[in-house]
Amino acid sequence: MKNVAVIGYGVVGSGTVELFEKNRESISHKVERDCDIKYIVDLRDFPDSPFADKMIKDFSVVLNDDEIEVVAEVIGGIEPAYTYTKQALERGKSVVTSNKELVANKGAELLKIAHENNCNYLFEASVGGGIPIIRPLNKCLAGNAIEQISGILNGTTNFILTKMIREQLDFDSALKLAQELGYAEKDPTADIEGHDACRKICILGSLAYGKHIYPQNVHCSGISAITLDDVAYAESAGYAIKLIGSVKPAENGRVSAIVCPRFVSKSNMLSTVDGVYNAISVTGDGVGDVLFYGQGAGKLPTASAVVGDIIDCLKHKNRSLMISWNDCDDENYIVKYKTVKTSIYVRINAENADELKASISEMFGKLTYIERKNRPDDELAFITPTMVESEIDVKLAELSHSARIESKIRLL
Ligand code: HSE
């Protein structure tokens, strides 16, 4: 049967078609019936593609074809992906996707539509590319209360930070290299400002805690302000700087979620995850700590997750796989990040900075000064004790009367 359609023939779409066609026989064997891709929908022309005979431009052909059971939406972005997904689900066709922006913004609604129409909306590829994390969280770890999830969820920023740490490239040069190698987009804002990682931690948090976490309610900061000086301080104090998305339960049924660069201790395995690789650490009250690691982006790794979802949908025709969470319009569901306890690395600039040490110590109580090679006289760096972030802000505001605050990075 020709029962699959792929919409979007970009990097992930072409990888999905390539992998599916390569392994079509074994996929048919797993599904216990013959399966094939019937349509590839894209507005562009691909006359030289070996799959040119499958190319169409009109999505309504897919919608109106009863043979199509599964649609792989790999267009990305909200529209037209949202409209197409809704239309397919309403016709009882399962949809699988790598589209984290759509899942993070419309997941609760689309999952509900899928459930009502006895089909499935699966999105393993939306977080961590080829790393299995959605299914493990939804199934294997379902018996646990999830105590925390934190991870390196963006390959582009991890590549840039790795180049800064290992080769002392400054941020702009590392970004340029990431673009030349095709990791970063031409407009890399969503990667470097943390929005991509934010969408992914929202998906994981929604799944783990059962209520939709919307990206606009999660504090998110990226890596563009990080300098080689910060990297040097981190290194000398036994940390690596990583962009981390994290989510955990808070008091009164709420959750705490944030995306920001962090000092990650060298004793934490996340500090050793380099290049475009991703890793996600999950702590459950039964299982303890588990770490998921692998290629978080790229054509075939992402296609691997998309094709896995297609197979699951084909195997469960007209049966809901029970993956869902509730919508949530309570703005207070996410605790205000400034009320959360944290410890922060601070780098300041002031004439004869060392002379400020006594007053800074008095301000914060027990704190740790850290060094770097060739630290100039007008620079000082320290790590605050763990305290509510807004209280740290008050003290830094006081300090800003006598020094310029150059950098603040939270510890993990
Ligand atoms: N831009 C993303 C990254 C692609 O760099 O991780 C995968 O979601």
Side-chain angles (χ1 to χ4, degrees):
M1 273 183 92
K2 297 200 168 203
N3 38 17
V4 179
V6 175
I7 48 174
Y9 197 59
V11 175
V12 180
S14 58
T16 299
V17 174
E18 183 183 324
L19 192 66
F20 191 99
E21 291 300 319
K22 180 169 169 259
N23 297 328
R24 194 163 62 82
E25 260 183 45
S26 72
I27 290 170
S28 295
H29 187 70
K30 283 169 191 155
V31 178
E32 297 180 334
R33 60 200 161 97
D34 201 27
C35 311
D36 199 0
I37 292 171
K38 186 168 189 177
Y39 303 115
I40 301 166
V41 187
D42 201 298
L43 292 178
R44 297 165 293 178
D45 290 313
F46 298 91
D48 301 328
S49 162
F51 307 107
D53 60 321
K54 296 178 191 287
M55 302 279 179
I56 59 166
K57 293 186 196 301
D58 182 1
F59 180 63
S60 68
V61 173
V62 174
L63 277 184
N64 293 322
D65 187 333
D66 290 340
E67 200 180 9
I68 298 297
E69 295 168 38
V70 185
V71 174
E73 181 274 294
V74 279
I75 316 171
I78 301 289
E79 283 295 359
Y82 174 53
T83 303
Y84 289 173
T85 301
K86 247 168 81 163
Q87 289 174 335
L89 294 172
E90 280 163 358
R91 302 248 178 146
K93 298 179 191 301
S94 290
V95 177
V96 307
T97 190
S98 57
N99 188 341
K100 56 253 168 170
E101 192 176 355
L102 186 58
V103 181
N105 283 287
K106 303 284 184 189
E109 181 192 351
L110 294 171
L111 286 164
K112 188 164 174 270
I113 297 173
H115 196 63
E116 286 166 355
N117 289 279
N118 244 0
C119 55
N120 290 292
Y121 183 51
L122 302 185
F123 43 89
E124 185 63 67
S126 67
V127 181
I131 305 171
I133 178 65
I134 301 293
R135 216 172 254 89
L137 209 47
N138 192 47
K139 292 197 165 159
C140 322
L141 300 176
N144 291 258
I146 301 298
E147 293 170 354
Q148 69 87 37
I149 303 173
S150 52
I152 295 169
L153 299 165
N154 182 270
T156 304
T157 44
N158 204 46
F159 173 84
I160 292 171
L161 289 170
T162 303
K163 286 286 165 190
M164 292 176 76
I165 294 165
R166 301 254 178 253
E167 295 170 30
Q168 277 69 54
L169 288 191
D170 63 20
F171 174 80
D172 290 329
S173 312
L175 171 60
K176 194 162 165 277
L177 183 60
Q179 283 172 318
E180 281 164 11
L181 291 171
Y183 298 141
E185 309 288 336
K186 260 207 189 98
D187 175 3
T189 316
D191 288 318
I192 62 177
E193 298 307 337
H195 305 144
D196 178 76
C198 185
R199 290 166 189 147
K200 292 166 178 169
I201 201 67
C202 287
I203 295 171
L204 296 180
S206 301
L207 190 59
Y209 302 115
K211 283 189 193 175
H212 198 114
I213 298 174
Y214 285 94
Q216 65 266 27
N217 297 333
V218 173
H219 175 75
C220 168
S221 59
I223 64 164
S224 54
I226 289 172
T227 67
L228 287 176
D229 299 340
D230 299 322
V231 168
Y233 279 113
E235 184 72 22
S236 76
Y239 298 91
I241 301 176
K242 296 286 176 191
L243 183 70
I244 302 286
S246 42
V247 63
K248 59 183 176 186
E251 282 170 0
N252 303 322
R254 298 190 298 161
V255 298
S256 156
I258 185 169
V259 175
C260 59
R262 290 193 183 263
F263 271 35
V264 180
S265 165
K266 293 264 174 84
S267 63
N268 184 326
M269 282 173 79
L270 289 178
S271 73
T272 64
V273 175
D274 278 349
V276 287
Y277 277 76
N278 284 191
I280 302 145
S281 136
V282 180
T283 310
D285 61 353
V287 73
D289 294 328
V290 282
L291 188 71
F292 299 85
Y293 169 83
Q295 296 188 56
K299 182 175 167 170
L300 290 176
T302 310
S304 152
V306 175
V307 174
D309 277 352
I310 293 174
I311 294 171
D312 221 2
C313 288
L314 291 170
K315 282 170 81 170
H316 295 90
K317 190 180 176 186
N318 300 331
R319 263 190 296 156
S320 170
L321 284 160
M322 303 302 290
I323 175 166
S324 69
W325 57 74
N326 295 324
D327 205 353
C328 177
D329 56 9
D330 177 3
E331 274 181 23
N332 295 320
Y333 177 53
I334 315 288
V335 299
K336 303 275 175 278
Y337 74 98
K338 289 281 184 187
T339 65
V340 174
K341 281 189 173 176
T342 187
S343 168
I344 299 183
Y345 148 85
V346 182
R347 177 165 58 85
I348 65 166
N349 193 279
E351 215 177 300
N352 300 321
D354 280 317
E355 289 171 14
L356 291 173
K357 272 185 169 174
S359 59
I360 297 172
S361 298
E362 197 178 320
M363 223 177 251
F364 282 97
K366 195 166 169 273
L367 87 172
T368 312
Y369 290 101
I370 58 177
E371 282 297 335
R372 72 173 170 103
K373 219 166 130 192
N374 303 324
R375 172 174 71 89
D377 291 342
D378 62 356
E379 187 178 86
L380 198 59
F382 57 89
I383 294 173
T384 72
T386 300
M387 53 206 295
V388 170
E389 183 159 343
S390 59
E391 288 173 15
I392 297 179
D393 281 351
V394 170
K395 293 179 192 302
L396 291 180
E398 200 183 321
L399 179 59
S400 70
H401 296 304
S402 44
R404 210 169 49 240
I405 313 294
E406 296 283 1
S407 186
K408 282 168 38 179
I409 301 175
R410 298 174 187 88
L411 270 67
L412 184 62

